[in-house]
Amino acid sequence: MSIEPKIYVADLAAYNNGILHGVWIDASEDIETIQEQVSAMLAASPEDMAEEYAVHDYEGFGGLSISEYEGLESINQKALFIEEFGELGAGVLDYLGDDLDEARKAMEECYSGEYESLADYARQLTEETGEIPEHLEFYIDYERMGRDMELSGDIYSIETGYRQVHVFWGC
């Protein structure tokens, strides 16, 4: 699925006078291009001396929140990260509290893979790291193991859809 992060930048002089004037901008453009588009929008304002703007809407950022007065450079960096890693990247960035460095580290160093559930992850990890006697196989509760690994902070997971659980080591 393609994610195209966009922001709607509004002219505050016009907005404060009851006029909707703004522009949708591809947030993954280079920062100079974004700033040029904002400047052009302000220059075309129906109000004299328009110089302030705010981000009034956004899309393509997954569950991530974009503040009304967040800097364009910060928004641009998040958009580039999301374009690189898609919906999963947006989820990781949201989970880690907008920390781009930690999110990049998680994607590059801590990602363990996609599974249908945490139980599937626990089963695979258990089977790869040890041999389970056949007579004990039916007594292992992989669902609880997965939940306990997440609750203890050993792992965390991001769901991107039905039976799409992405697991990360808590590094």
Side-chain angles (χ1 to χ4, degrees):
M1 180 168 94
S2 172
I3 294 182
E4 298 174 8
K6 297 177 184 174
I7 54 175
Y8 179 78
V9 181
D11 168 9
L12 289 181
Y15 182 78
N16 289 335
N17 286 304
I19 302 168
L20 294 179
H21 177 72
V23 64
W24 277 99
I25 298 173
D26 179 348
S28 61
E29 294 279 342
D30 62 86
I31 193 67
E32 293 82 20
T33 302
I34 294 172
Q35 189 60 57
E36 286 171 7
Q37 291 179 45
V38 170
S39 296
M41 181 268 303
L42 290 172
S45 175
E47 296 295 320
D48 295 332
M49 305 286 286
E51 50 188 40
E52 293 182 328
Y53 62 88
V55 177
H56 280 186
D57 201 1
Y58 54 92
E59 61 183 37
F61 286 87
L64 195 61
S65 290
I66 302 296
S67 167
E68 185 174 20
Y69 297 106
E70 188 166 346
L72 294 176
E73 193 166 325
S74 172
I75 293 170
N76 177 249
Q77 292 301 310
K78 291 175 185 177
L80 291 172
F81 183 84
I82 291 168
E83 272 205 340
E84 182 178 353
F85 295 107
E87 185 180 1
L88 178 58
V92 169
L93 198 52
D94 185 34
Y95 179 83
L96 295 173
D98 292 353
D99 188 329
L100 280 165
D101 292 332
E102 284 298 312
R104 184 163 299 284
K105 178 184 175 191
M107 293 301 298
E108 294 173 354
E109 299 175 19
C110 305
Y111 184 60
S112 188
E114 180 182 339
Y115 303 86
E116 288 191 12
S117 67
L118 281 178
D120 286 345
Y121 172 74
R123 175 186 305 277
Q124 182 176 330
L125 182 65
T126 302
E127 290 172 354
E128 286 177 356
T129 57
E131 197 167 314
I132 302 163
E134 192 175 312
H135 67 282
L136 295 179
E137 284 179 353
F138 299 107
Y139 295 100
I140 299 174
D141 188 341
Y142 291 110
E143 189 173 317
R144 283 189 177 179
M145 285 176 66
R147 187 197 71 215
D148 288 351
M149 284 190 283
E150 191 163 42
L151 289 175
S152 70
D154 292 337
I155 62 169
Y156 61 92
S157 64
I158 307 289
E159 289 188 41
T160 57
Y162 178 69
R163 296 174 132 339
Q164 294 176 331
V165 178
H166 300 268
V167 178
F168 294 82
W169 284 101
C171 24

